[in-house]
Every structure is written in C-alpha cells, then in structure tokens.
Amino acid sequence: MEELLKQINEQIAVFQKESAQQVEKNNKAAGTRARKAALEISKLMKDFRKASVEASK
C-alpha cells in the first residue's frame, strides 16, 4: 500500500507540473502529458480503493 501511495503522489506531482505549463505557457504537449497523468491517477485511485477495502476487513 505504501508503494501505491508513492505512485499516486508522483503522478499528482507530474499532473500539477504539466497542467501549470499548459495554463501558464499555453503548452499543448504539456496538456497531453497532464491528461495522461490524470488517467494514471484515476487507475491508481481505483487500485487504492480496492487495497483500502481489503485492509479494513
């Protein structure tokens, strides 16, 4: 579970960096990278939910 949290935090950091570049510098490639990170965060959050439910049993 700790590894999963580490991965989530890394992807959130990537998303924040790339989305800021998209907004501030109108960088289209950064927008693509931000969307990719958002998709990965979504997948990781589903995995976190499953792990969390298992841990609470």
Side-chain angles (χ1 to χ4, degrees), residues 17-55:
K17 176 185 167 207
E18 300 299 342
S19 61
Q21 284 184 349
Q22 180 187 14
V23 171
E24 294 167 4
K25 299 179 182 178
N26 199 23
N27 185 331
K28 292 181 182 181
T32 301
R33 292 188 296 270
R35 289 189 297 276
K36 181 179 177 186
L39 184 61
E40 187 63 29
I41 291 167
S42 175
K43 291 176 187 176
L44 290 169
M45 293 305 266
K46 288 177 185 177
D47 292 342
F48 174 78
R49 185 176 189 286
K50 289 177 190 175
S52 178
V53 168
E54 285 297 317

Side-chain angles (χ1 to χ4, degrees), residues 4-22:
L4 183 58
L5 288 173
K6 181 181 172 188
Q7 291 175 347
I8 290 170
N9 287 327
E10 288 172 358
Q11 288 300 318
I12 289 172
V14 169
F15 174 77
Q16 289 175 326
K17 176 185 167 207
E18 300 299 342
S19 61
Q21 284 184 349
Q22 180 187 14

